[in-house]
Amino acid sequence: MFKSIKGPVGIIITVSLSLMALLVLWLAVSEHKITYVASAKEHASTYSEAVATMIQPHMTDVNLPEEFTQTIVSLFSTNDHFIGARIYNSDATLIKEQAGRVGQRLIEPFFQQADVQALPEGSSYDQHAIAVRHTIGEDIYPDGYLVLFFDTKSSVSSGISSLLWQIFPLVFAFWLFCVLCSLYWIHRLLKPLTNLTSFTHSVIETKDYALRNHLVDNNEVGALGDSINRLLEMIEVELLINHEQKQILIEQQEEMSRLANYDSLTGLPNRQFVLDNLKLELARAKRNNDDLALLFFDLDGFKGINDSLGHETGDLILIEVADRVSDLVREGDLVARLGGDEFLILPDRDVRDASIESLASRLIAAFEQPFNLRGLSLTVGVSVGIAKAADAHYNLSELMSNADLAMYRSKAKGRGSFTVFTLDMVASHKRKLHLANAIEQSLSQNEFEVYYQVKVNKHAEIVGLEALLRWEHPEFGMVMPSEFIPIAEQGGKISAITQWVIERVSEDLPRLRQWLNKRFRVSINLSGHDLRNSHLFDNIYTVFQSYQVNPEYVEFEVTESAYLENFALSNKFFKRMSNMGCAIALDDFGTGYSSLSYLTQISIDTLKIDKQFIRELETSERSQLVTGAIIDLAKRLSLSVCAEGIEGPFQWQYLTEHGCDQIQGYMFSKPVPLSTLLEMPAAFDVAALVNKQ
């Protein structure tokens, strides 16, 4: 109701002063009335005493003389307030009543009922009238009683009116003075508070918390002003802190957004970002009946560089890859790093085959130039897979899977190439998945079987066997090792297969010894994954102990690349196997690292010449020279030599003439089951085989 505290305070003070003024007037009137009544009582008592003295001599008369009555009347004729007089005899019987100037009041009930015996001696006051009772004569034997009545109503009223007219101007003037002074001091005392209010309003409107009030007072208002200043200082400090924290939070939010959506190493969009965008783009393309292309690629040879030169060098290559690809694509194309050395390119709505293939070709060409890092010249290629949204039915996971399949098909083609996804790849992929999931169950149900291929010496006598695995799948039929071994290696199941083969060969060895009845060795192939298995030696030893295998009848074959990729582990393992009595053969010699220095460091007994050299012996003089050099080198290093892939007489003749120790190939026998092998002779008729050719 009141916008300022001055209004209520002013009203309270004004009302208070008014009540005080009224109280003063009431006290003055009351005091005047009391004083007047007391004075009137005194005068009435004096009158009554004088009248009583005058009428005492006449109280013996039965009737008071008329002249005496006139005397009483004359006595009070000047008194405007005389109501009347009553004279009683000694028996309290009224003998005379005389009315005065206001005698009309005698008819009032109070005066009619006034009893002389009930009235006290002396004066009394009641009903705005003074009643005086005086005993005539002695108090013990009175001659009678005199009662006088005096009116005070009109006199008191007139006296009060006169009094009010006299003191009211003074009281009003004083009241007005006090009110004005009070309002002035209220205004003066509350002015700092008003200033504080205006100050706080200005702070609220301007939101400038650097403002300060300059109120200097030693009272509560001054303390309030100081408190407001301190509060503003605290608010200003808190706002500054909040602003700094807000900036930090904004920066952290931006950083979190960047980390959530961008790769911290290359600065490219990450997997989550590109997948979210792909969802939107696929929905748009499906809605508009458009198509969408996706290029998926990873780096060829990156793992070897990362393992040999360290992750720091690998990170530098990834950064350079991101820069090269970003410079290659057009504005609007999306380049992202999915993780590791996997990248993705999403062209901007240009899905023409020619345009996509041109982009893939430029991408491959961009990595023909080596990376020059820290004084090293490193070559890294790319394998690219291309998939389209329409082929994936606009499904994100299916699109990514198609691109991945196409990329691995590029790797299978020899890397540094691109492949466009076709629907037949799905069937191939499903077959691989089915095979991968069926390996463990097939091992437990004996769907695998060991086949044996013979090795002969220069006299065509069987001197060894190679254990080769075949898989008779209930749905796909005969599955060759070239198909399921890479699948097993990728799925981490190759160690279980190797363990199964070792156990089966150990189980077959007694029957083989009984069949051949001379010293020979059965070769068992080990992969690079097997060599990295720290429990391989213990597992083999346990199997040999369980089947009482003589290690001198067993040879382990490992490819040159698998041996040298795990050089330290391989050397340690094969030394332990040699100490046990097993022989070690280095398979595919000449197709891997081909570093002759390794031959002086590795523990092997046999070099196996790869069949790609044997295949070209009849047509390539260079192959003849290389094969002859390998045999000669092995002889000088006191190693035996085994050649595989022998299919014709020329190959047989060349190898035997150059001193090859063991020969293996279809000319003598394909890999066969144990039951078929046991029916074969221990030696072959070479002439018959040549004529058969």
Side-chain angles (χ1 to χ4, degrees), residues 461-473:
E461 299 172 342
I462 297 176
V463 294
L465 303 166
E466 182 176 3
L468 299 170
L469 191 60
R470 297 293 185 266
W471 183 3
E472 186 65 34
H473 193 277

Side-chain angles (χ1 to χ4, degrees), residues 275 278-279 282 392 394-404:
L275 291 182
L278 263 175
K279 289 179 182 178
L282 286 171
Y394 300 94
N395 181 274
L396 176 60
S397 60
E398 190 174 346
L399 177 63
M400 295 290 290
S401 177
N402 292 349
D404 190 55

Side-chain angles (χ1 to χ4, degrees), residues 427-446:
S428 174
H429 179 63
K430 288 181 178 179
R431 176 182 171 94
K432 288 182 179 179
L433 288 177
H434 189 88
L435 292 175
N437 293 329
I439 287 176
E440 292 182 355
Q441 183 178 358
S442 297
L443 286 173
S444 63
Q445 295 180 357
N446 291 321

Side-chain angles (χ1 to χ4, degrees), residues 252-494:
Q252 290 177 342
Q253 187 176 9
E254 293 175 351
E255 179 66 16
M256 290 176 64
S257 177
R258 189 184 67 81
L259 291 175
N261 295 306
Y262 291 88
D263 177 49
S264 58
L265 178 65
T266 62
L268 295 177
N270 61 14
R271 174 182 289 272
Q272 187 60 46
F273 181 85
V274 75
L275 291 182
D276 291 341
N277 275 271
L278 263 175
K279 289 179 182 178
L280 297 176
E281 288 297 317
L282 286 171
R284 178 201 60 78
K286 184 177 182 181
R287 185 172 58 252
N288 298 333
N289 199 25
D290 291 336
D291 206 350
L292 190 71
L294 186 68
L295 280 76
F296 188 84
F297 69 93
D298 71 356
L299 308 181
D300 300 332
F302 176 77
K303 183 179 183 302
I305 294 174
N306 209 32
D307 292 342
S308 59
L309 299 179
H311 293 288
E312 188 174 351
T313 302
D315 290 344
L316 294 176
I317 289 178
L318 292 174
I319 294 172
E320 181 66 23
V321 167
D323 292 340
R324 288 192 184 186
V325 177
S326 298
D327 293 339
L328 176 70
V329 298
R330 301 160 302 182
E331 184 178 358
D333 293 347
L334 176 63
V335 181
R337 181 191 177 202
L338 300 183
D341 62 336
E342 295 180 339
F343 293 82
L344 179 148
I345 299 177
L346 181 64
D348 186 21
R349 304 184 183 183
D350 188 354
V351 295
R352 292 174 301 162
D353 292 341
S355 176
I356 298 301
E357 292 176 6
S358 173
L359 176 60
S361 299
R362 295 199 310 273
L363 178 63
I364 294 170
F367 290 88
E368 293 177 354
Q369 295 296 323
F371 294 88
N372 297 312
L373 301 172
R374 297 180 175 180
L376 298 174
S377 181
L378 305 173
T379 301
V380 175
V382 292
S383 295
V384 185
I386 303 171
K388 292 188 177 181
D391 295 331
H393 309 290
Y394 300 94
N395 181 274
L396 176 60
S397 60
E398 190 174 346
L399 177 63
M400 295 290 290
S401 177
N402 292 349
D404 190 55
L405 286 174
M407 183 197 70
Y408 278 101
R409 186 62 61 91
S410 296
K411 286 186 176 296
K413 289 193 303 185
R415 304 187 178 187
S417 61
F418 69 87
T419 301
V420 179
F421 171 81
T422 56
L423 294 177
D424 62 302
M425 295 181 187
V426 176
S428 174
H429 179 63
K430 288 181 178 179
R431 176 182 171 94
K432 288 182 179 179
L433 288 177
H434 189 88
L435 292 175
N437 293 329
I439 287 176
E440 292 182 355
Q441 183 178 358
S442 297
L443 286 173
S444 63
Q445 295 180 357
N446 291 321
E447 293 177 6
F448 287 94
E449 185 176 2
V450 175
Y451 278 43
Y452 294 94
Q453 187 175 29
V454 299
K455 299 178 183 178
V456 299
N457 58 15
K458 61 182 179 179
H459 303 296
E461 299 172 342
I462 297 176
V463 294
L465 303 166
E466 182 176 3
L468 299 170
L469 191 60
R470 297 293 185 266
W471 183 3
E472 186 65 34
H473 193 277
E475 180 181 349
F476 300 124
M478 182 63 71
V479 183
M480 301 303 290
S482 59
E483 181 178 4
F484 68 78
I485 290 297
I487 295 174
E489 288 179 342
Q490 293 176 4
K493 299 174 183 178
I494 190 65

Side-chain angles (χ1 to χ4, degrees), residues 219-233:
N219 53 21
E220 290 85 350
V221 179
L224 178 61
D226 292 338
S227 298
I228 290 175
N229 283 341
R230 289 197 296 271
L231 181 62
L232 289 174
E233 291 175 0

